[in-house]
Amino acid sequence: SSPSVIIIISCSSSSIMASLPVAVIWDLDGTLADSSKLCHRCTNEVLESNGYPAITEEQYHEGTIYPTPARFSVHVSGDRDHPSGEALGRAFDELYVTRVSSETAPLFEGIKELLEELHVRGVRLGVLSNACGEYVRTVLAAHELDKIFEVQFGADDVPAPKPRPEGLVRCIECMGLAAAPEDEEQHRSDIVYIGDAPTDGAAANAANIRGVGVLWGAYAEAKVRSEFLVAAATVPELRSMIGPLGLASSPSPPPS
């Protein structure tokens, strides 16, 4: 089938977009879902069942800048390349996917309404997480949001985890959109990536798309703003940064 015609939407220099974006891609944990207690609890179950000491919630949050296997390597040794991380990471993935529900991984207040509003207005939606893809899809399904997200990717679904840009480029391509050329100053301000981690901002910058940080996740404001030019403290503020939802033009249909 022929690809959709994509209209490039310009962006004002302020933190608020002049028009709605073509697509918004989201991080999951700490951005859409308040899942830190679930993940911390499952992390300690895996560590203790394999003879390692439990970690604090702060240590867990510090490790979330890494993909899951590297995170476990850091937890047990301080070295992200420690060989134990792969098996521990697999055990964690198998465990915490089974524990997902709308109660254990609740959405932050106002997020579901914002997602539904964007969808109704024709904004294309995707998720890219450094967690495993099965977890991403399980969380979205638990909240009955799986039908409105065109792409639902974890680190194991893409060529490289964040902060590398390949995952975002894969998302963009799978939505039938064109990524900005690498190593050029061209910037697709009509595609937005939203996340709570510095690695999310770095990935958006490397992919030459617009990054918007959120301040209700696991990271201090200074760390978030170190990689994001703009960051929202509340969901209503984020809504205003995404664009004037009441003024959207007719959306382009997704590729068939």
Side-chain angles (χ1 to χ4, degrees):
S1 60
S2 60
S4 302
V5 175
I6 304 303
I7 300 172
I8 304 299
I9 300 176
S10 64
C11 174
S12 69
S13 59
S14 71
S15 63
I16 299 176
M17 294 191 70
S19 303
L20 274 177
V22 170
V24 178
I25 306 169
W26 303 75
D27 173 50
L28 183 60
D29 293 327
T31 301
L32 296 178
D34 186 8
S35 50
S36 62
K37 286 184 171 52
L38 167 67
C39 296
H40 177 231
R41 190 162 54 244
C42 291
T43 293
N44 278 339
E45 284 190 42
V46 169
L47 289 173
E48 292 180 311
S49 66
N50 284 276
Y52 296 102
I55 60 170
T56 66
E57 196 163 349
E58 182 180 2
Q59 289 171 315
Y60 162 73
H61 285 308
E62 288 172 351
T64 58
I65 62 170
Y66 302 107
T68 301
R71 177 170 71 81
F72 272 89
S73 292
V74 169
H75 291 330
V76 302
S77 71
D79 175 9
R80 62 166 295 167
D81 296 317
H82 192 276
S84 62
E86 288 292 337
L88 293 171
R90 282 194 300 272
F92 174 81
D93 287 345
E94 292 170 1
L95 174 65
Y96 87 144
V97 167
T98 68
R99 303 284 179 84
V100 168
S101 71
S102 58
E103 290 76 35
T104 60
L107 299 178
F108 288 101
E109 185 176 355
I111 283 290
K112 187 169 188 177
E113 293 78 8
L114 175 57
L115 292 170
E116 291 172 341
E117 187 176 10
L118 289 168
H119 176 64
V120 166
R121 299 303 300 161
V123 177
R124 316 270 292 277
L125 299 176
V127 169
L128 175 66
S129 170
N130 268 357
C132 68
E134 185 181 2
Y135 170 76
V136 170
R137 294 181 280 276
T138 302
V139 172
L140 294 178
H143 293 283
E144 300 181 337
L145 290 171
D146 47 315
K147 299 295 190 295
I148 71 172
F149 282 90
E150 292 180 46
V151 294
Q152 306 170 24
F153 289 162
D156 53 339
D157 298 314
V158 297
K162 300 173 290 185
R164 292 182 60 102
E166 288 91 335
L168 285 173
V169 172
R170 174 68 59 84
C171 288
I172 293 164
E173 290 174 344
C174 286
M175 296 171 96
L177 305 176
E182 292 183 13
D183 302 322
E184 294 187 20
E185 293 186 1
Q186 231 175 317
H187 186 81
R188 285 212 64 163
S189 60
D190 61 338
I191 301 175
V192 181
Y193 186 55
I194 298 173
D196 72 310
T199 48
D200 297 328
N205 293 334
N208 286 324
I209 63 175
R210 179 176 169 88
V212 177
V214 300
L215 302 177
W216 52 77
Y219 299 89
E221 180 173 351
K223 285 189 175 182
V224 176
R225 293 191 184 277
S226 70
E227 292 290 348
F228 286 102
L229 289 177
V230 296
T234 66
V235 172
E237 186 179 3
L238 175 62
R239 182 189 184 280
S240 72
M241 288 178 176
I242 291 173
L245 286 169
L247 302 176
S249 58
S250 298
S252 300
S256 56

